[in-house]
Amino acid sequence: MWRLRRAAVACEVCQSLVKHSSGVKGSLPLQKLHLVSRSIYHSHHPTLKLQRPQLRTSFQQFSSLTNLPLRKLKFSPIKYGYQPRRNFWPARLATRLLKLRYLILGSAVGGGYTAKKTFDQWKDMIPDLSEYKWIVPDIVWEIDEYIDFEKIRKALPNSEDLVKLAPDFDKIVESLSLLKDLFTTGSSGETAFRATDHGSESDKHFRKVSDKEKIDQLQEELLHTQLKYQRILERLEKENKELRKLVLQKDDKGIHHRKLKKSLIDMYSEVLDVLSDYDASYNTQDHLPRVVVVGDQSAGKTSVLEMIAQARIFPRGSGEMMTRSPVKVTLSEGPHHVALFKDSSREFDLTKEEDLAALRHEIELRMRKNVKEGCTVSPETISLNVKGPGLQRMVLVDLPGVINTVTSGMAPDTKETIFSISKAYMQNPNAIILCIQDGSVDAERSIVTDLVSQMDPHGRRTIFVLTKVDLAEKNVASPSRIQQIIEGKLFPMKALGYFAVVTGKGNSSESIEAIREYEEEFFQNSKLLKTSMLKAHQVTTRNLSLAVSDCFWKMVRESVEQQADSFKATRFNLETEWKNNYPRLRELDRNELFEKAKNEILDEVISLSQVTPKHWEEILQQSLWERVSTHVIENIYLPAAQTMNSGTFNTTVDIKLKQWTDKQLPNKAVEVAWETLQEEFSRFMTEPKGKEHDDIFDKLKEAVKEESIKRHKWNDFAEDSLRVIQHNALEDRSISDKQQWDAAIYFMEEALQARLKDTENAIENMVGPDWKKRWLYWKNRTQEQCVHNETKNELEKMLKCNEEHPAYLASDEITTVRKNLESRGVEVDPGLIKDTWHQVYRRHFLKTALNHCNLCRRGFYYYQRHFVDSELECNDVVLFWRIQRMLAITANTLRQQLTNTEVRRLEKNVKEVLEDFAEDGEKKIKLLTGKRVQLAEDLKKVREIQEKLDAFIEALHQEK
């Protein structure tokens, strides 16, 4: 009876399972129930017709799972249709499972209450942090203003999409039903295996076909799901890019002032900048990672590069060579998607079609400009920077397409030139070779694979890309050939990875987004993926970009490690050389040396203000007299001295002094003052400072001095005021005391003696050495000097006869002298006689004036009486006193202007020059030179590079 009761309970359980199976569409037949339910024979089911098993008394039963014999069963008399006892174990299992759910439910409720109580206790223990809310930046509380969470929520998959990803219960039930058929007995009580062995061949064929269809269906669903989530991921990345753009724009406007942690891309950018500024002999550009795009002509190189740069920036043509020179594209992150050339400040907005067309036209013009006459391609590189939100920091180079045959219109060496350019870029050990192969043409026609194999035989830095796969799938009769190309079985080259991409339908007006949508649609329906000829990660330009980025950063890590090791050794060598050559000097680079020199120069300029007034006036007065003495003696004193009386002398002097003061004297005085300031400034700048003098600054100080003097201009109003002062000084004739009289006589004697000495030297050069020098120094006179000497002797005889002879010779006197010389056999012309007379009379006049000056030493008494009742007239002494007093007053005036105005203006000019030199790096390199400077400069640069490399390597390790 208990068996009957247990069977009835099992039937009720199964019926309840059938009634509550609302999650499956439609009503489930009994054959699709769980294996546990199907293992029970139901007597109440209308469609179930069970036969009573034939009883066998002598047979041995075996399990389908083991080979161990089972004990024989003794059947008790039961009603027709009931299952034997050995088939009730599923019902017992279901009963225990039903009891287990109550235990789980009770545990969940009790555990939830306990967890809530514990959470409340912990919440009470946490202190109130509302007062410290100011510590958190405002942008955290305002993040909902910058990030649209509603858009992100809409971009995430909804509940219906998640339900679709849940397992198909219909297929699971069908699979379980197949398993049940393997264990259930047939109509004759035999096992499922026995029944299957006697099944028909048609059932086997149907089952194989259904399994194949299920596998194909599962693969198609898997591909569809992958493409679906890839689109969702791209949509989220687009949202992230827009948000990043907003953040960068706010940073540009100065809204976000917090100091953010530098990213790896920014740090690598700094490393590139420092390395590019290093010594040109190091040639760091050939050691930097970059992506080199090579391929046959019209294979799609430019299109692949544009997909990575996310903009159609290159000129294109149908079958025509468009890339005529290498184009280096540097990708970096920025708030706006723009492009600009290295040597230009114009920015091209890549979101506008007009700017894109202008950029392509500019690139084409630059390519044609680089190509020399008689050539087709050029090795000169066009540098282009592309910035935009979400762009990785990479350096890509688009090379001219490799050609097999030189066509008409091309230079004969075009093929060899393209090969040499491609090899030059691929020889870089850190270059990533992006080998582009056109999938729409025969693989045997490609020649770029052999070139890549030569440069990278092991394929350690090569990525193979098959383009135009959509055309290849239509044209190639055997799809397995595409699989062989992707797997690298048709080429001798090796590569890190193999990819298949579609770069559009061949329409040049297609946008990047349209190309991506077409590519995804093609691969979603392509047989290459459905038949597993291609893996999902080997298709689309997006996966290619990710692979190139990973490879690029791998190259960056390896190259940075190598650079760090080399710079460690270089730094040690430089530090050792400095310690051996300059043990007592600090390591000052060019900028630090310039700052030190700048301070010294400014100190020396300030020293000009410390010069005493007496020193300024002495050097100004002396310099001014040296400048005007010739004019005073030759044009004022000598003409006035030729007059017959004192009245005419004074009148002539006053007129000539007035003319001189109005036209020349103030200008001469200003020139003298400016030259004196320059001389004093130069003296302070070039004067050795003893042991502290550093000759490394000499060129810089000289350049600063010359540039400052060139920029300095004297005040124009100084001449006008100085003219009035000088005119008033020359008008004064009153000598107040004997001391001033004696000073004027002394000044006059010095001036006349200097002129007499110059005149005697001129006569000696004219007539040659005298008899004493001829005997002592073995010198002889020339023929011309002999003629001058004879003429001089004849003229001296004339002066002895008339000591008051006027300054000019009459014509009859010239004739008399010439005839006298001819009588002695000396032929002379009148011009030689006049020149000789000028020097002879000048010496005679100066000697007479000196004798008169000596007589005037006691003439101050007669001067006070205005030379009344006296034959002595000393008007020439009064003239020299007026000149001397004018010189003293002018020197005093110029000194005041120098110290009060011009020195300060010069100091200002020096500061401006130093500021200009500080901003001119080439000027500093030119003026601060030498082994010491270069060694300190290299040492500083190497230390800076090593520090940045160490920081970048540390960031890389933290990223790992």
Side-chain angles (χ1 to χ4, degrees), residues 78-133:
I78 58 177
K79 293 183 180 181
Y80 181 76
Y82 278 79
Q83 181 72 11
R85 180 181 179 181
R86 62 190 178 91
N87 291 329
F88 277 103
W89 63 272
R92 293 194 297 270
L93 179 61
T95 305
R96 292 178 181 178
L97 289 176
L98 291 175
K99 293 179 180 180
L100 183 62
R101 65 181 180 179
Y102 294 107
L103 296 175
I104 295 175
L105 180 60
S107 301
V109 173
Y113 176 75
T114 305
K116 182 178 183 304
K117 187 176 181 180
T118 305
F119 174 75
D120 293 338
Q121 292 177 358
W122 287 0
K123 184 176 180 182
D124 296 337
M125 295 171 61
I126 297 175
D128 187 9
L129 299 179
S130 60
E131 297 180 358
Y132 302 95
K133 185 178 178 180

Side-chain angles (χ1 to χ4, degrees), residues 320-339:
E320 182 184 358
M321 178 181 290
M322 300 302 298
T323 306
R324 298 180 177 270
S325 65
V327 181
K328 184 179 70 172
V329 182
T330 302
L331 299 180
S332 59
E333 191 175 17
H336 305 286
H337 201 186
V338 296

Side-chain angles (χ1 to χ4, degrees), residues 175-190:
S175 301
L176 293 176
S177 64
L178 293 176
L179 293 176
K180 185 259 177 186
D181 293 340
L182 298 177
F183 292 96
T184 56
T185 58
S187 60
S188 60
E190 297 178 350

Side-chain angles (χ1 to χ4, degrees), residues 90-350:
R92 293 194 297 270
L93 179 61
T95 305
R96 292 178 181 178
L97 289 176
L98 291 175
K99 293 179 180 180
L100 183 62
R101 65 181 180 179
Y102 294 107
L103 296 175
I104 295 175
L105 180 60
S107 301
V109 173
Y113 176 75
T114 305
K116 182 178 183 304
K117 187 176 181 180
T118 305
F119 174 75
D120 293 338
Q121 292 177 358
W122 287 0
K123 184 176 180 182
D124 296 337
M125 295 171 61
I126 297 175
D128 187 9
L129 299 179
S130 60
E131 297 180 358
Y132 302 95
K133 185 178 178 180
W134 60 273
I135 298 178
V136 182
D138 294 338
I139 192 173
V140 176
W141 309 112
E142 301 173 358
I143 193 169
D144 55 343
E145 297 180 4
Y146 307 111
I147 301 177
D148 194 348
F149 290 102
E150 185 65 23
K151 289 185 178 180
I152 297 177
R153 187 185 65 80
K154 293 179 180 180
L156 293 175
N158 52 23
S159 58
E160 296 179 358
D161 296 335
L162 294 176
V163 170
K164 292 179 181 179
L165 296 178
D168 194 345
F169 292 101
D170 295 340
K171 296 180 180 179
I172 293 175
V173 171
E174 291 179 2
S175 301
L176 293 176
S177 64
L178 293 176
L179 293 176
K180 185 259 177 186
D181 293 340
L182 298 177
F183 292 96
T184 56
T185 58
S187 60
S188 60
E190 297 178 350
T191 61
F193 288 106
R194 188 177 183 87
T196 305
D197 292 338
H198 292 82
S200 62
E201 294 294 332
S202 61
D203 294 338
K204 294 181 180 180
H205 178 71
F206 176 75
R207 188 168 296 164
K208 290 181 181 179
V209 173
S210 62
D211 293 342
K212 184 177 180 181
E213 290 178 354
K214 291 177 182 179
I215 293 174
D216 294 341
Q217 186 178 3
L218 289 175
Q219 289 181 350
E220 185 175 356
E221 290 181 358
L222 179 62
L223 178 61
H224 178 74
T225 304
Q226 183 180 3
L227 294 177
K228 175 183 177 182
Y229 277 97
Q230 186 171 353
R231 287 194 295 269
I232 294 174
L233 182 61
E234 290 178 355
R235 187 163 64 249
L236 291 175
E237 288 182 350
K238 185 177 180 180
E239 294 285 342
N240 185 25
K241 186 187 297 184
E242 293 178 357
L243 295 174
R244 178 65 177 169
K245 180 179 179 180
L246 292 175
V247 173
L248 292 174
Q249 288 177 348
K250 291 182 182 298
D251 288 343
D252 289 344
K253 295 178 181 178
I255 297 176
H256 191 51
H257 296 287
R258 289 190 305 143
K259 186 176 181 181
L260 300 176
K261 183 179 179 181
K262 291 183 180 179
S263 63
L264 286 176
I265 295 175
D266 296 333
M267 297 178 69
Y268 180 67
S269 176
E270 292 182 359
V271 172
L272 291 179
D273 296 337
V274 175
L275 285 175
S276 62
D277 294 337
Y278 189 54
D279 188 6
S281 62
Y282 186 73
N283 201 9
T284 56
Q285 288 292 334
D286 290 338
H287 295 80
L288 299 178
R290 67 197 72 188
V291 181
V292 180
V293 186
V294 295
D296 298 327
Q297 183 179 350
S298 301
K301 308 181 310 301
T302 303
S303 299
V304 172
L305 198 152
E306 287 178 338
M307 293 296 290
I308 297 176
Q310 302 180 12
R312 311 207 73 172
I313 57 179
F314 293 102
R316 51 188 64 251
S318 178
E320 182 184 358
M321 178 181 290
M322 300 302 298
T323 306
R324 298 180 177 270
S325 65
V327 181
K328 184 179 70 172
V329 182
T330 302
L331 299 180
S332 59
E333 191 175 17
H336 305 286
H337 201 186
V338 296
L340 67 158
F341 292 96
K342 185 179 180 181
D343 55 352
S344 175
S345 59
R346 178 186 176 184
E347 287 189 351
F348 297 88
D349 190 352
L350 301 183

Side-chain angles (χ1 to χ4, degrees), residues 751-803:
L752 296 179
Q753 287 177 358
R755 292 296 163 182
L756 178 60
K757 184 176 181 181
D758 295 338
T759 303
E760 289 179 348
N761 290 333
I763 294 174
E764 183 178 358
N765 293 330
M766 182 182 297
V767 301
D770 56 2
W771 66 271
K772 184 177 180 181
K773 290 183 178 180
R774 292 199 302 270
W775 281 97
L776 293 177
Y777 302 106
W778 294 82
K779 293 182 178 181
N780 295 322
R781 291 173 176 170
T782 61
Q783 183 66 28
E784 184 179 2
Q785 289 176 344
C786 293
V787 172
H788 279 288
N789 184 56
E790 293 294 334
T791 306
K792 178 183 73 73
N793 293 335
E794 189 67 23
L795 293 173
E796 286 179 348
K797 293 178 181 177
M798 184 184 301
L799 280 175
K800 287 181 179 179
C801 296
N802 185 11
E803 293 184 355

Side-chain angles (χ1 to χ4, degrees), residues 4 34 56 130 139 180 201 268 287 448 467 471 597 835:
L4 292 175
H34 197 269
R56 295 181 182 180
S130 60
I139 192 173
K180 185 259 177 186
E201 294 294 332
Y268 180 67
H287 295 80
V448 70
T467 60
L471 300 178
D835 294 339

